[in-house]
Structure formats: structure tokens, C-alpha cells
Amino acid sequence: RVEDLNSAQVDAEGRDCALLSAFPYDRLRPDAILFEYSHCDRAEMTALLLTLALNGYKLAYDNGDDVCYVRQAARRAAD
């Protein structure tokens, strides 16, 4: 059983948003989450963005295909 996770990089061939929407944020809180969103539909992406925001994540990087969200508590600890 995984009890700690520093970062999560997801490449699930178009299922990234669905996978991250079902992620156990109540148990695991990676400092950074990197994933590809170009294959996510608008509804999936909207739901995931809400989930990320509710769990304290903010956009740190977006190159048009991939994004990185960073947990704000982790960002403050690093500053």
C-alpha cells in the first residue's frame, strides 16, 4: 500500500482526466501532478479542475498539451 507520494505523472492514453478525477486525494497528496489534457473533453477537464482546486492545487505549467499542478501547501513549504 502506498502511503506517501511526492509527485504523480500520468500518461494514460486519453484517460488522464478520468484517472485523476478518481485519484484518492483524501489519502495521497502528491506535491505535483503532471498530465496530458489534450485528449480530455471539456466536461472531464472542468470536473478535474474543480477536483484539483478543491484539493489545493494550482496551475504551475501549461505547454498546450501537458500541464503541471502544484499543491499550494507544498509550494509554500518550498519557498
Side-chain angles (χ1 to χ4, degrees):
R1 177 178 171 176
V2 176
E3 295 183 13
D4 190 26
L5 189 65
N6 293 330
S7 64
Q9 181 174 347
V10 178
D11 185 359
E13 301 305 322
R15 300 300 299 151
D16 300 38
C17 286
L19 184 82
L20 287 169
S21 290
F23 190 83
Y25 297 98
D26 59 326
R27 275 194 325 104
L28 296 170
R29 293 192 170 265
D31 295 338
I33 300 172
L34 176 68
F35 65 97
E36 183 180 23
Y37 70 91
S38 60
H39 300 293
C40 298
D41 68 34
R42 185 179 302 263
E44 283 181 318
M45 191 62 179
T46 299
L48 177 55
L49 293 178
L50 178 61
T51 298
L52 290 171
L54 290 173
N55 284 283
Y57 290 88
K58 297 262 186 191
L59 179 65
Y61 172 81
D62 181 347
N63 73 1
D65 287 317
D66 302 308
V67 290
C68 180
Y69 278 80
V70 176
R71 191 166 55 92
Q72 291 305 288
R75 179 178 272 180
R76 282 190 293 275
D79 289 342

